Amino acid sequence: MYTSFYGLKEKPFNLNPDPSYLFWSSGHENAYTHLEYAITENKGFGVITGEVGSGKTTLINHLIHQIPKDLHLALINNPDVSPAQLLKMICTEYELDTTGDDKASLLENIYEFLIQTYANQQRAILIIDEAQNLPAETIEEIRMLSNREAEKEHLIQIILVGQPELKEKLQRRSLRQFTQRVSVHAHLGGLTADDVNRYIRHRLKVAGADNPELFTEEAIQALHTYSEGIPRLINILCDTALVYGFADELQSIDRPVIDQVMTDRKSGGILLAEQQAGTGNIQETISERMAGGTDKDSLSAMEKRLRSLEHQVQLLGTLTENLEQQLNYLGNHRSEQDQLLREMLQLLKENLNSRFKMTAKAYQLREKYLLSRQQPPPASPPPSFFSRLRKKK
């Protein structure tokens, strides 16, 4: 939608963990160094933890691309399974026979594979992502799997990657035997303010941006505050801000755009409590801006913003019409998948409607301001335009 407008070859803030966009903050360098050390020195257990969206999976994907060919890798992404199910998943990853799916047969196949791999002077690595979801009994099975060792070497290296809840789980007394075997641990926190600045510029550069200063310093400061330095949240806010900027035909993204994005997300009810605390009160902000400066300056700034809002509402009206058509179609062609899609589209429609309500509130505040200055309000938008939007509610 906005790529050509901002001179981008692709969207720079997608959420998929693309290694080509990997940004080396000090925290990521530290975590990756720990991973390299664990693999190079053949340490038995390694644990990498980090907040949701901090870049753990992107780091693992980069590591996978760097692993030498003599290392046999098994990657498990959905570990909320029983011990027997995990063993079967490991066999599948190592391309081992799973026809005898009882636990004893699976273990025997894995042990034979590990011994043969060691005899061939090769190594095996097991990486478990989202490891905070591992049941306690499955963690114990992983520990038992590592019990088979050569005289001086581990037959398998195991790296657990997960959210901070993984640390809490491993601190349980019942898992102390496992925890005592963890030789390498690193934690990924949020980016610093300087890292956020470099992170945004880095992703814009990779995406082919002509203007590395697309986000102003004030906007970047706001992004750091609202996101708490979590890359995934930064991506979500930046991507949405670029959509808003495209709708308003802005050549750069400044602080008010970021504030607007956060206000809309707050009104949609999808923010965590700690994120909501930083959004402030948009009505107070608008009132303060209206009160400052001369009447002429205030009116000029307001009219400019209202023209942008009208353009934005026009865009939202088109999107809402398209959603209505899709919802009506899905209502007449029901299936289980269609029902799920219908519910998702309904949520999106409600979010668009909340933006329309906020725009209407901005017009009301403008009218109050003009009345307080005893000036006639400018011509209101064509009634047919808003009546059409109200019918979409």
Side-chain angles (χ1 to χ4, degrees):
M1 180 183 293
Y2 56 73
T3 51
S4 59
F5 181 80
Y6 286 114
L8 301 165
K9 63 181 182 182
E10 60 186 12
K11 290 185 177 181
F13 299 104
N14 283 328
L15 297 183
N16 56 303
D18 186 346
S20 64
Y21 278 88
L22 177 60
F23 172 74
W24 292 104
S25 70
S26 56
H28 287 80
E29 288 180 350
N30 177 63
Y32 191 77
T33 299
H34 279 74
L35 284 171
E36 279 191 318
Y37 171 72
I39 293 174
T40 303
E41 299 299 322
N42 195 20
K43 297 297 181 180
F45 282 101
V47 175
I48 302 295
T49 56
E51 296 294 338
V52 178
S54 59
K56 303 181 297 296
T57 302
T58 302
L59 203 65
I60 293 301
N61 286 347
H62 179 77
L63 175 68
I64 291 173
H65 284 81
Q66 305 301 317
I67 287 180
K69 293 182 179 180
D70 63 339
L71 296 181
H72 297 271
L73 171 68
L75 175 63
I76 307 297
N77 291 306
N78 302 295
D80 187 9
V81 294
S82 68
Q85 290 172 323
L86 179 68
L87 294 176
K88 189 170 185 177
M89 294 169 73
I90 293 173
C91 286
T92 301
E93 285 292 310
Y94 285 134
E95 300 181 354
L96 306 179
D97 182 25
T98 59
T99 52
D101 58 358
D102 61 287
K103 184 176 175 181
S105 298
L106 295 172
L107 278 172
E108 183 179 356
N109 291 341
I110 293 174
Y111 287 144
E112 288 181 356
F113 165 75
L114 294 178
I115 292 172
Q116 186 61 48
T117 299
Y118 180 74
N120 294 337
Q121 297 184 340
Q122 297 176 336
R123 291 158 55 197
I125 298 178
L126 170 62
I127 299 178
I128 301 179
D129 201 2
E130 301 296 339
Q132 75 279 354
N133 296 325
L134 281 166
E137 62 271 19
T138 305
I139 294 178
E140 179 61 16
E141 187 65 43
I142 294 172
R143 184 188 70 83
M144 296 295 292
L145 181 64
S146 69
N147 278 345
R148 293 287 183 93
E149 297 181 352
E151 185 176 349
K152 294 183 179 180
E153 300 286 343
H154 296 287
L155 291 181
I156 186 171
Q157 281 183 270
I158 301 174
I159 297 175
L160 304 185
V161 183
Q163 298 169 17
E165 291 81 0
L166 175 60
K167 288 195 299 181
E168 299 173 6
K169 182 173 289 187
L170 294 181
Q171 289 171 358
R172 297 177 185 174
R173 182 172 177 79
S174 60
L175 295 175
R176 63 187 182 280
Q177 286 183 297
F178 180 95
T179 306
Q180 289 171 1
R181 296 192 178 194
V182 175
S183 55
V184 175
H185 171 244
H187 180 76
L188 272 176
L191 303 179
T192 65
D194 181 62
D195 280 340
V196 171
N197 189 353
R198 294 190 297 115
Y199 174 81
I200 292 174
R201 294 173 185 270
H202 167 73
R203 295 192 73 97
L204 288 172
K205 181 179 179 181
V206 174
D210 297 328
N211 177 20
E213 311 290 335
L214 185 55
F215 288 80
T216 66
E217 291 185 8
E218 293 76 12
I220 293 175
Q221 291 173 1
L223 286 165
H224 175 254
T225 300
Y226 290 140
S227 69
E228 298 182 343
I230 301 300
R232 183 179 298 166
L233 294 179
I234 296 172
N235 287 359
I236 292 173
L237 296 178
C238 285
D239 182 71
T240 309
L242 288 173
V243 174
Y244 284 27
F246 168 72
D248 291 348
E249 299 181 353
L250 302 177
Q251 295 303 312
S252 63
I253 307 300
D254 54 7
R255 171 72 187 244
V257 176
I258 306 301
D259 291 338
Q260 188 72 52
V261 170
M262 286 301 298
T263 300
D264 291 351
R265 287 177 63 81
K266 181 178 179 181
S267 65
I270 56 175
L271 290 182
L272 298 176
E274 56 267 27
Q275 291 177 288
Q276 292 191 23
T279 59
N281 189 311
I282 188 65
Q283 294 186 17
E284 292 179 2
T285 302
I286 293 175
S287 299
E288 290 173 0
R289 291 177 181 173
M290 289 168 58
T294 64
D295 290 351
K296 182 178 179 180
D297 291 339
S298 298
L299 284 171
S300 176
M302 184 183 300
E303 289 300 325
K304 181 179 179 180
R305 181 57 183 164
L306 286 172
R307 284 195 297 271
S308 296
L309 285 172
E310 183 174 351
H311 177 76
Q312 188 172 337
V313 171
Q314 289 174 338
L315 177 61
L316 290 174
T318 302
L319 291 174
T320 304
E321 287 179 355
N322 292 336
L323 284 175
E324 280 289 343
Q325 294 175 2
Q326 294 182 51
L327 289 171
N328 291 335
Y329 173 81
L330 291 175
N332 297 325
H333 299 77
R334 287 181 178 272
S335 69
E336 184 177 350
Q337 292 183 350
D338 286 344
Q339 182 60 28
L340 291 174
L341 180 58
R342 179 182 173 82
E343 292 175 3
M344 294 174 64
L345 291 173
Q346 188 65 45
L347 289 174
L348 179 58
K349 179 188 173 185
E350 291 173 359
N351 184 267
L352 294 176
N353 283 336
S354 69
R355 294 195 62 196
F356 165 73
K357 292 177 182 178
M358 186 185 61
T359 304
K361 184 63 177 178
Y363 275 101
Q364 293 175 8
L365 291 173
R366 182 200 63 168
E367 292 174 358
K368 290 181 180 179
Y369 171 80
L370 293 172
L371 288 174
S372 67
R373 295 294 192 276
Q374 294 184 350
Q375 295 181 7
S380 58
S384 58
F385 174 71
F386 283 99
S387 62
R388 179 171 61 86
L389 284 178
R390 290 193 184 97
K391 292 179 181 179
K392 302 295 182 183
K393 295 175 62 177

